[in-house]
Amino acid sequence: MFLLEEVMKRRRRVVVVAGLCLSFFLGTWMNLLPEPGLEPRPAGGSTDQFYREKHTRRAGETGDSRLHVGESLEPASDSGTRLDSAGSLHELELQIRERYDEVLRYRHQLQARRPGHADPGRPMERRRLMDLEPGDGGAPARATGGTVNGQVHGDPAALPRRPTGTSGGPVLGCGSMADVTDVEYLGSGYTKAVYRAALNRSLSVALKSVDLAGHDMENCARRYGDTAACYRLSSFKIIKEMVLMETLQHPNVLKLYGYCYQDNGGIQETVTAITELGSPLEMIHLLQTPWEQRLRICLSLVRLLYFLSRSPLGSVSLLDFRPRQFVLVDGQLKVTDLDDASTLEAPCTPLTAGHACTLLFPARNFTLRCSRGRCVSINEKRNLYNAYRFFFTYLLPHSAPSALRPLLDNIVNATGELRWGVQKTLSKMEEVLHLYRTGRYLLQSLNHSTTGYKEVLDSSIPEQEVRCWPSYQHDACLLAVFDLREALSLCESHAHCHAFVFTNQTTWTGHHLVYFKSGWSGLSRAFGQLTYIRLAS
């Protein structure tokens, strides 16, 4: 009878997991547009090449790396398969000019929020990222980018000085990369290749650089035949991302540690961003994690979206909003790809509002109001609906405490209909967190007595595992509980639970991690842990 019951439970668990996975894949198939993913590099990849190239410095170059935002472009000596030379290069120059202007616009906004460009807490020579023409003695910087013969141009000396230090974290440059070890290719998209590396054998970082074999570079080089100019075009996406990381500093935005500009592989002034390292999101794995961890991810996301809706740059839209644009750092969700972020809001008139203010998604569309020549909250609403379709609908309701499910269902439904803005959504999510953190989600009927249990101080049970799902440990039943009442209730509800052990560990909400056991043989001493043994009735 026992074996039959176990088999039936395992079958039910497999059916639940399979149903969730199928739901996730179908929803993702409906939601995703045809965009590239992080694809593994072909065999014989370039990790070693990357490592070698990163240390090739110009003779006589000083220790400070310098970040160019624009210089005159000279056509490559080998025209390759370039189409119509004059017309094609002019088209390429216009694209570079547009990206250059976008970087300057964000840089000017960054400077505007720091009047005088002086920070009393830092040395006067501390130059902010992307200063094109630093003045002497800490004078305000000026942007001098222009065009020469229709080409983007900037003074070669117009570069930022390497920051000498900041309380916000390490400030790294080309000198730091001289000691790079353990380089590992992580993946790439249209434009960038991402590597994991260790600096000074201690600090793990992510290195982002233009993928020379990527979609953007290959298509551009095939069309225009100018590798250097194509690299310049692609590199502006990395530079834009660095400017935004510098400007949009928030706990849920990946930290920028520094950058390096140097000559690599025959291309002048290649750029590498040095950022905080995170773990990529794996949605199938997240579906099998405990609900408390999934709540943290969704709460992190809503806090990020609230910040973006009121950022120093205005309302920011994440145009390429998908799970792979985020990473986990110590359990916190952080956005890592900002090269497709935008602060532009659709202009409109009462006559064009029906078209200009319509948000188009694969499953449904929304038409927003037009007010004062702008579509009301269009960036905020786009972000919020994407959060619903990629995160909330999969991660929030499943296996949540029963008392919280009505609140969570309300959040999912309201964001799916765009009935709420991000501020109200954040308020409701914080309410869920408060109820969970304070134990108010527990049903009043949880009045189980400890009289049927024996308490053993400073002890644990190494084996005798009970299987449960989802669990913090795949080969044991490790759950988070608010207090002894909840642990007793869980053990009483499981036919094969005959003991449980309070560890000395807690989760991010302060809940206790508790092992549930099928017996108590092998009881051993474990300082700081507390075991409850269920007595025979």
Side-chain angles (χ1 to χ4, degrees), residues 3 15 142 239 250 252 258 326 329 336 340 345 347 416 478:
L3 290 176
V15 169
R142 300 194 315 274
I239 296 172
H250 184 267
N252 299 114
F326 299 86
V329 179
T336 179
D340 289 310
E345 294 184 298
L478 180 61

Side-chain angles (χ1 to χ4, degrees), residues 351-424:
L351 294 178
T352 63
H355 171 71
C357 298
T358 297
L359 287 174
L360 303 176
F361 295 100
R364 63 173 304 174
N365 303 328
F366 299 92
T367 300
L368 308 179
R369 290 188 303 109
C370 178
S371 178
R372 299 181 180 178
R374 287 290 182 269
C375 300
V376 177
S377 303
I378 190 167
N379 288 346
E380 174 184 331
K381 297 286 189 179
R382 180 184 290 110
N383 288 342
L384 192 57
Y385 188 78
N386 279 325
Y388 155 79
R389 70 189 185 115
F390 287 117
F391 288 89
F392 299 164
T393 188
Y394 301 116
L395 302 183
L396 268 183
H398 170 61
S399 71
S402 57
L404 297 178
R405 285 175 192 165
L407 284 172
L408 296 171
D409 288 340
N410 198 20
I411 291 172
V412 172
N413 293 335
T415 53
E417 298 290 334
L418 287 185
R419 288 188 278 111
W420 294 350
V422 70
Q423 183 173 10
K424 185 169 183 179

Side-chain angles (χ1 to χ4, degrees), residues 187-234:
S188 59
Y190 268 167
T191 307
K192 296 181 299 245
V194 184
Y195 299 82
R196 179 204 310 268
L199 301 185
N200 298 322
R201 300 187 181 277
S202 57
L203 178 65
S204 294
V205 299
L207 305 177
K208 297 184 177 184
S209 59
V210 174
D211 187 359
L212 299 181
H215 179 278
D216 280 357
M217 278 294 295
E218 285 190 345
N219 281 7
C220 179
R222 187 181 303 114
R223 178 174 179 80
Y224 302 112
D226 191 330
T227 302
C230 288
Y231 181 90
R232 183 72 53 81
L233 179 67
S234 296

Side-chain angles (χ1 to χ4, degrees), residues 118-156:
D119 187 338
R122 298 170 185 168
M124 287 299 292
E125 70 271 19
R126 169 80 160 98
R127 304 308 307 170
R128 304 309 301 177
L129 191 63
M130 310 306 155
D131 283 348
L132 294 184
E133 185 178 332
D136 294 334
R142 300 194 315 274
T144 59
T147 58
V148 175
N149 297 326
Q151 297 176 338
V152 178
H153 173 73
D155 186 346

